[in-house]
Amino acid sequence: MSSALTDLARYPIVQAPMAGGASCPQLAAAVIEAGGLGFLAAGYKTPEAMYEEIKQLRGLTGRPFGVNLFMPQAPGDPAAVAVYADRIAGEASRYQTALGDPESGADDAYDAKLAILLNDPVPVVSFTFGCPTRAVLDAFARVGTRTIVTVTSPVEAETAQWAGADAVCVQGVEAGGHQGGFRNDPADDAPGAVLGLLSLVALVRETVQIPIIAAGGLMRGSQIAAVLAAGAAAGQLGTAFLVCPESGANGLHKAAMTDPLFGRTELTRAFSGRPARGLVNRFIRDHGPYAPAAYPQLHHLTSGLRKAAAKEGDPQGMALWAGQGHRLARELPAARLVETLAVELNAAGSAYGFQDPRGVVS
């Protein structure tokens, strides 16, 4: 995976940190034991819950793993949030629940989570929605933790490199869930404003010298081979692992990945106030065009609605995050999926004229 990341996993396969429950210790452990790099998602969890999951994962594997943190955010316009709250008030009636408090917090307990991870270090920490300060990244370097910053442009990648990150996770527009770049600007909603993965990897490769992990729509080993050929050190997959039995994702969410009722994905602010790719359902169609750029206020506002919809068995009111390749999802145990991806990668690598340097077996 390059000299900075080579010893973390046998294969250049990274299980994406999916906030909201999918990336649980059981999923990460299965991926890790099969030869990939597994991640826990600390986003939306309390510091105590994050640490409890770390302890659980350490009890399941002694191999390297990662923890993902959300950077603190500058909230959007409260007036725009209030207008949106009025718009979705009917959803609260539909599901017989209350709208959440949009001012529940914008920093996701960032400082407290940093303190825990610096006091009891883990092998890898990644960051989403921004770049930490050099002081933070240097502090992790001193305790032996490697750091990865999620980026969606060459400029962001260069910022991460200069701040001292060990690697960047380059996220293309195909990715499921939130776009993890530094900005939350409506100008980026224009078609073509966010690049596809292969073009983005190539551009970032010519901009920075640190390793690249490529993320966005990857579902097959042949696609991992393609991003390796483009200059990445590894491929990161989220949607592919979401449907595994070890995943903590809701069963309705898993089933929707291959349900013909949900034929396409779309970037939307409807649920969180930040662009995120999900399966198009009623909630996105009805409210997506009117959602302001206000994260995490809209996330807190709609949290109860999403939970109530899931409880009622109604995927039309849930955030069904999914990458563009969701129809390629395979309901395999996580270890079997890693092994299958490795075999596919080896076969495709031979076609490209190279093999994975760590000896993927067929």
Side-chain angles (χ1 to χ4, degrees), residues 64-349:
F65 64 93
V67 175
N68 176 258
L69 299 181
F70 286 171
M71 294 295 296
Q73 300 296 294
D77 179 8
V81 174
V83 170
Y84 192 66
D86 288 341
R87 176 175 182 83
I88 63 172
E91 298 286 350
S93 299
R94 176 192 292 266
Y95 295 115
Q96 298 182 329
T97 190
L99 295 177
D101 177 7
E103 306 302 330
S104 296
D107 68 353
D108 202 47
Y110 176 72
D111 288 336
K113 291 173 182 177
L114 285 183
I116 290 172
L117 293 170
L118 289 169
N119 182 63
D120 189 359
V122 300
V124 185
V125 172
S126 68
F127 300 87
T128 299
F129 302 148
C131 184
T133 64
R134 174 168 284 278
V136 168
L137 294 175
D138 285 349
F140 277 114
R142 287 194 294 272
V143 299
T145 295
R146 285 120 184 223
T147 51
I148 302 169
V149 175
T150 304
V151 302
T152 56
S153 72
V155 171
E156 291 178 350
E158 192 170 36
T159 299
Q161 176 176 262
W162 282 109
D166 292 307
V168 287
C169 178
V170 173
Q171 185 189 47
V173 72
E174 305 94 333
H178 284 94
Q179 288 287 298
F182 302 178
R183 292 157 47 104
N184 186 18
D185 189 336
D188 294 334
D189 295 350
V194 184
L195 293 174
L197 182 60
L198 286 176
S199 295
L200 187 56
V201 167
L203 289 167
V204 172
R205 180 70 286 156
E206 295 196 2
T207 304
V208 301
Q209 286 72 54
I210 57 178
I212 291 170
I213 298 171
L218 303 180
M219 302 292 290
R220 296 287 187 265
S222 59
Q223 294 173 297
I224 300 173
V227 296
L228 296 183
Q236 178 172 288
L237 297 78
T239 303
F241 285 107
L242 187 144
V243 298
C244 293
E246 297 91 343
S247 161
N250 184 282
L252 293 170
H253 193 171
K254 293 182 180 184
M257 292 298 103
T258 53
D259 186 339
L261 181 64
F262 302 102
R264 65 183 181 89
T265 64
E266 183 177 296
L267 285 173
T268 183
R269 297 178 186 274
F271 293 105
S272 72
R274 192 175 179 110
R277 184 172 297 282
L279 298 174
V280 176
N281 58 7
R282 178 191 57 77
F283 196 99
I284 289 176
R285 287 192 298 269
D286 288 353
H287 307 298
Y290 309 98
Y295 176 88
Q297 289 152 298
L298 263 60
H299 163 77
H300 297 310
L301 186 72
T302 67
S303 178
L305 295 178
R306 289 176 274 132
K307 292 176 181 177
K311 186 175 181 180
E312 289 192 13
D314 181 13
Q316 296 295 338
M318 297 169 59
L320 304 172
W321 303 138
Q324 287 184 337
H326 65 96
R327 297 300 293 273
L328 297 172
R330 298 177 282 199
E331 297 180 24
L332 298 174
R336 176 71 182 279
L337 179 56
V338 171
E339 294 163 0
T340 301
L341 290 166
V343 170
E344 293 171 346
L345 169 58
N346 195 45

Side-chain angles (χ1 to χ4, degrees), residues 13-35:
I13 298 170
V14 180
Q15 165 249 311
M18 296 172 280
S23 296
C24 58
Q26 292 74 20
L27 176 62
V31 170
I32 292 163
E33 289 296 302

